[in-house]
Amino acid sequence: MKRITIAILLITTVVSAQTVQKKSDSLGVALDEVVIIAAKKKQLETEMKMAVTVDEFLASSNNISFIKRGAYAWEPLLNNMSTERSTVTIDGMHIFGACTDKMDPVTSYVESNNLSEIDIKSGQEGSLHGATVAGSINLKRKSTAFTIDKNYKGAYQTGFEFNNNQFFNLANASYSNKNLVVDGSISHRKAANYKDGNNDDVKHSQFEKLNASIGIAYKTSDLSSLKVDAIFDKANDVGFPALPMDLLLSRALITSVAYKQFFEKGTLKVWDTKVYFNAIEHYMDDTTRPENLVHMDMPGWSTTYGLLSKVNLKNDDLASEIQLNIYDNLSIAEMRMYPQDRSERTMFAYSWPWVTTRYAGLSTNNLWEISAVSQLNFGGSLGLNYNYSKYAEFNWIFHPGAPQKKTRFLPSLHAGYTLQVNNYNFSVGGGYGHRAPSVSEGYGYYIYNSFDRYDYIGNPDLKNEISYELNASAGVNIQKGSLQAKVNYFYIQNYIIGRILSLGSPMNYQSVGVKGYTSLDNASLFNFSLNAKYNVLNNLHWNGTLTYARGLDDHKNNLPFIRPLSYQTTLHFSYHKFGIQTSFYGDLKQKNYSPEYGEDETPSYNNLDVSVDYNFYIKNYKAEIQVGAENLFNTYYSTYADWGNIPRMGRNVFTSLKINF
């Protein structure tokens, strides 16, 4: 088994260099000229809360919701689809969690202070980073530009959240000159159990997280650069109140070496190539749960090597990006069962039986400026996916004779047309794509799902999911505001989901039965959002959002974890150095729930958040202080996405101080 050590981190980050950001219309000029006009990237934050986590920032997007199993590591749902159907990457690098219970999504291994932006693509438009159905989420790291003179920058942020006694510190710094750039960040968060709206402790909801990153860049010529990046993340003593066990320890090491070359003449503008390595270890543990009659340890490991190479082309009105993705991942997960006396182990099994996944794909995205008011975006990909299970005997128990190796072809196509007529904008598009079953869906062995209380079994013979997608939007911009409506529809053949098996008995004493992953004939999902903005005064701004989704299987039964009608209205008022924000939001009653998959009806709720911020200077350093409250009226509630109906956090007063230097 692999163990991640600090020594590896130090060795990996000895050399380095930085990718220089450059706009497509600037690629023909020298590198020094480009970095002078490079736009400064803003730290991840929202108007309501400047010290957001990555999860909180993603939650501000209309097409992302979350399954919450506690206060830490929420599972992002893109277009109301689980993470198996989306591609989540860090700077395009593929990373796979090491937990069979999804307690470590990719988003849990970064922090807001080492990211510059998050790029969200819906449906097959996200296939540039690999096979997908729901789309892609690409977490982009901060990258300081080269400068003619020596330049030092940094920021320090600290704060406290009173509900769960969370204390956090975030710091980042950078140095740059004409040939060298060094970026670094470090963060630490520690929280106790949070309290619900009845002021009761939600047990096992504590967490502690340390994250550090470094990037070193060197300009190898006027038009080229070399860069090395590394992220180290450690979480320990993380409670998951919705699950029968907690996280003892998880560690991740994420590294890459990239080379970027610009070209002054010709159609080829940029060539960017990166090799990367990441390793994750994750140790689930239930020794803090004395109510468990039988104890179970569930450690997991995930190791990935990859290559990412892309070129940008520009010829008159046509701009193209062509990308090659190659990676090799090994996923291992174990189950070790003990009686109350842990000195005697009674059972051992592989819940992921050493599953290797190898993928190679070539993808392209093209933008054709048809006229000054219209454009066509089109592209596609072709991927080859290979799986190998080292201990196939675990799969043969339920699927005798299932192949130990499996190769799949994963094609994808997408196109979209946009039109701007005066103040009005319109778009229409479509997509077609395949995805392979995930490691759990194809090879999982007795993975306990505490939501519906079934043990799940994978099936190596599952067919590819095939998605057909339509999307459209329409909007209008006026002098003081805007209105934008978006809609998409997915028709998915061979939709993978769990169904009760007639053979086999549950292994976990809390299980009520065994389900096997199977393919429905089809399923459909519909998503709609409406956004409005209006500037009431020069310093008073209003935003409003309305979203709705519906998901049905092939028998017109409801799919699980589909968000009901939700709404949000916000006001932002500024006066000199002060800012005041309010947000009123909620969901309607979840009527379209799925009892077959463990769901029940959840009532409607609404909440009010408020915050006040003040900007000032400490000597020559700009500073900002913020005080606010989430769930101001201390409402007790639980939503459709709260695993096992665990209650959400009650009133939470938060404070934060940030200093830039």
Side-chain angles (χ1 to χ4, degrees):
M1 300 301 174
K2 301 173 178 62
R3 296 187 61 85
I4 303 170
T5 65
I6 299 297
I8 297 177
L9 180 62
L10 294 174
I11 293 171
T12 310
T13 58
V14 171
V15 277
S16 63
Q18 151 142 344
T19 300
V20 178
Q21 299 300 318
K22 195 170 183 180
K23 293 183 178 180
S24 60
D25 58 357
S26 305
L27 294 178
V29 301
L31 193 59
D32 282 333
E33 296 173 353
V34 174
V35 298
I36 294 174
I37 63 171
K40 181 180 178 181
K41 294 184 176 180
K42 185 179 180 182
Q43 178 179 326
L44 296 189
E45 59 183 42
T46 64
E47 287 186 344
M48 178 57 60
K49 193 175 183 180
M50 67 180 187
V52 294
T53 64
V54 175
D55 292 339
E56 289 171 331
F57 181 82
L58 279 170
S60 64
S61 171
N62 292 335
N63 52 358
I64 291 185
S65 53
F66 284 93
I67 294 176
K68 297 186 179 182
R69 300 171 175 87
Y72 180 82
W74 306 342
E75 179 189 353
L77 306 183
L78 178 54
N79 285 320
N80 284 279
M81 294 186 235
S82 60
T83 48
E84 291 89 351
R85 294 182 173 89
S86 59
T87 301
V88 185
T89 55
I90 299 177
D91 284 336
M93 299 182 293
H94 285 264
I95 298 161
F96 299 90
C99 176
T100 57
D101 286 352
K102 301 184 179 180
M103 293 157 66
D104 68 333
V106 174
T107 48
S108 68
Y109 291 114
V110 290
E111 256 291 358
S112 57
N113 70 324
N114 57 30
L115 296 179
S116 63
E117 61 179 308
I118 299 177
D119 185 23
I120 302 170
K121 300 292 186 183
S122 178
Q124 294 307 315
E125 193 177 351
S127 63
L128 192 68
H129 296 296
T132 184
V133 169
S136 67
I137 302 172
N138 187 29
L139 310 166
K140 295 185 177 181
R141 289 198 57 213
K142 285 184 176 179
S143 185
T144 301
F146 296 101
T147 55
I148 296 176
D149 299 319
K150 293 181 180 180
N151 191 20
Y152 301 87
K153 290 183 180 179
Y156 170 69
Q157 190 168 357
T158 185
F160 188 79
E161 300 195 6
F162 286 83
N163 184 290
N164 59 351
N165 294 326
Q166 181 186 165
F167 182 56
F168 60 87
N169 288 278
L170 311 172
N172 55 277
S174 67
Y175 166 80
S176 61
N177 62 29
K178 63 179 182 179
N179 290 318
L180 179 68
V181 168
V182 180
D183 285 305
S185 71
I186 189 167
S187 65
H188 179 259
R189 298 178 185 266
K190 186 173 183 179
N193 292 332
Y194 70 80
K195 291 180 172 60
D196 60 27
N198 292 332
N199 296 318
D200 295 325
D201 270 1
V202 177
K203 296 181 179 179
H204 310 294
S205 59
Q206 80 288 342
F207 66 87
E208 184 174 4
K209 173 186 172 72
L210 172 69
N211 182 278
S213 71
I214 188 170
I216 308 174
Y218 181 73
K219 190 195 297 185
T220 53
S221 73
D222 287 343
L223 293 172
S224 63
S225 62
L226 181 68
K227 180 182 182 183
V228 168
D229 276 314
I231 299 174
F232 176 76
D233 188 272
K234 176 184 177 183
N236 58 281
D237 188 26
V238 179
F240 286 88
L243 302 177
M245 57 177 53
D246 302 308
L247 172 65
L248 175 67
L249 173 68
S250 76
R251 287 185 292 206
L253 177 65
I254 302 166
T255 63
S256 66
V257 179
Y259 176 78
K260 177 174 278 191
Q261 175 71 55
F262 293 91
F263 300 89
E264 292 183 289
K265 299 179 181 180
T267 302
L268 178 61
K269 302 300 181 182
V270 186
W271 174 48
D272 191 357
T273 295
K274 177 188 299 182
V275 292
Y276 61 89
F277 164 80
N278 56 76
I280 296 172
E281 52 185 2
H282 190 277
Y283 300 96
M284 287 189 283
D285 172 69
D286 66 353
T287 54
T288 58
R289 307 290 185 97
E291 66 273 15
N292 288 358
L293 300 178
V294 177
H295 287 299
M296 183 182 294
D297 292 342
M298 297 184 68
W301 300 265
S302 174
T303 306
T304 306
Y305 301 85
L307 168 69
L308 180 65
S309 185
K310 61 182 178 180
V311 294
N312 291 86
L313 310 172
K314 184 75 167 65
N315 186 17
D316 296 329
D317 296 325
L318 180 64
S320 301
E321 181 175 358
I322 302 172
Q323 184 163 293
L324 174 67
N325 284 287
I326 300 174
Y327 64 80
D328 180 292
N329 170 260
L330 175 63
S331 293
I332 306 167
E334 300 176 353
M335 283 190 294
R336 306 165 183 170
M337 196 172 290
Y338 305 85
Q340 290 290 342
D341 181 2
R342 290 179 60 84
S343 63
E344 298 182 13
R345 190 172 75 183
T346 58
M347 189 278 292
F348 173 86
Y350 283 115
S351 46
W352 285 343
W354 287 63
V355 181
T356 296
T357 301
R358 293 182 183 135
Y359 176 86
L362 187 65
S363 53
T364 180
N365 193 39
N366 307 275
L367 182 63
W368 177 25
E369 299 283 352
I370 300 173
S371 69
V373 297
S374 64
Q375 60 184 28
L376 180 67
N377 180 25
F378 61 96
S381 66
L382 181 61
L384 183 68
N385 191 92
Y386 167 85
N387 287 117
Y388 170 76
S389 175
K390 182 177 181 179
Y391 298 104
E393 54 267 27
F394 288 96
N395 308 118
W396 292 337
I397 294 173
F398 287 89
H399 304 284
Q404 193 170 12
K405 303 176 182 179
K406 190 80 171 181
T407 301
R408 304 170 185 267
F409 290 94
L410 306 175
S412 168
L413 293 170
H414 70 88
Y417 176 77
T418 61
L419 177 66
Q420 182 80 37
V421 181
N422 297 323
N423 295 331
Y424 298 90
N425 63 81
F426 306 92
S427 75
V428 62
Y432 163 84
H434 289 224
R435 82 159 179 102
S438 68
V439 172
S440 290
E441 292 169 338
Y443 301 93
Y445 181 74
Y446 276 101
I447 297 176
Y448 177 59
N449 184 325
S450 60
F451 191 82
D452 61 7
R453 297 180 60 196
Y454 278 85
D455 288 328
Y456 276 67
I457 305 296
N459 181 357
D461 286 323
L462 287 171
K463 298 178 181 178
N464 292 350
E465 273 192 356
I466 304 174
S467 171
Y468 302 86
E469 170 199 354
L470 293 173
N471 57 76
S473 71
V476 60
N477 293 290
I478 59 176
Q479 184 176 2
K480 285 194 169 185
S482 64
L483 183 67
Q484 188 77 29
K486 295 182 179 181
V487 63
N488 61 41
Y489 176 79
F490 295 86
Y491 180 83
I492 305 172
Q493 292 179 333
N494 308 324
Y495 187 85
I496 299 173
I497 205 162
R499 284 287 173 87
I500 297 174
L501 293 178
S502 58
L503 69 160
S505 56
M507 183 179 297
N508 192 307
Y509 78 94
Q510 297 173 323
S511 299
V512 297
V514 179
K515 284 186 176 182
Y517 282 107
T518 187
S519 295
L520 307 182
D521 286 341
N522 61 77
S524 60
L525 287 101
F526 171 82
N527 297 282
F528 169 80
S529 68
L530 181 66
N531 291 87
K533 297 180 179 180
Y534 188 73
N535 300 324
V536 184
L537 300 170
N538 289 335
N539 57 351
L540 179 60
H541 310 287
W542 172 81
N543 290 340
T545 301
L546 189 70
T547 63
Y548 174 76
R550 189 72 195 277
L552 299 172
D553 67 13
D554 51 352
H555 295 294
K556 305 304 178 184
N557 297 317
N558 296 315
L559 294 177
F561 297 112
I562 305 298
R563 189 172 191 172
L565 184 69
S566 65
Y567 54 89
Q568 182 179 40
T569 178
T570 65
L571 278 173
H572 178 217
F573 175 75
S574 59
Y575 181 75
H576 296 302
K577 297 180 180 181
F578 285 93
I580 302 174
Q581 296 76 224
T582 65
S583 177
F584 182 76
Y585 59 94
D587 290 353
L588 297 190
K589 181 188 294 185
Q590 173 61 301
K591 295 181 179 179
N592 301 317
Y593 61 94
S594 176
E596 182 179 357
Y597 302 106
E599 286 192 310
D600 55 16
E601 185 177 88
T602 53
S604 62
Y605 77 92
N606 53 65
N607 273 335
L608 177 66
D609 298 348
V610 296
S611 69
V612 179
D613 55 70
Y614 176 71
N615 291 280
F616 60 101
Y617 281 86
I618 301 175
K619 293 185 178 180
N620 294 323
Y621 302 125
K622 184 178 179 180
E624 183 176 2
I625 188 169
Q626 186 179 63
V627 178
E630 299 166 310
N631 191 1
L632 183 64
F633 298 120
N634 204 31
T635 303
Y636 180 92
Y637 71 105
S638 179
T639 78
Y640 78 103
D642 293 307
W643 198 265
N645 293 327
I646 58 167
R648 290 283 178 98
M649 186 180 289
R651 182 188 300 112
N652 178 38
V653 176
F654 60 87
T655 63
S656 183
L657 170 67
K658 182 179 180 181
I659 302 173
N660 295 289
F661 58 87

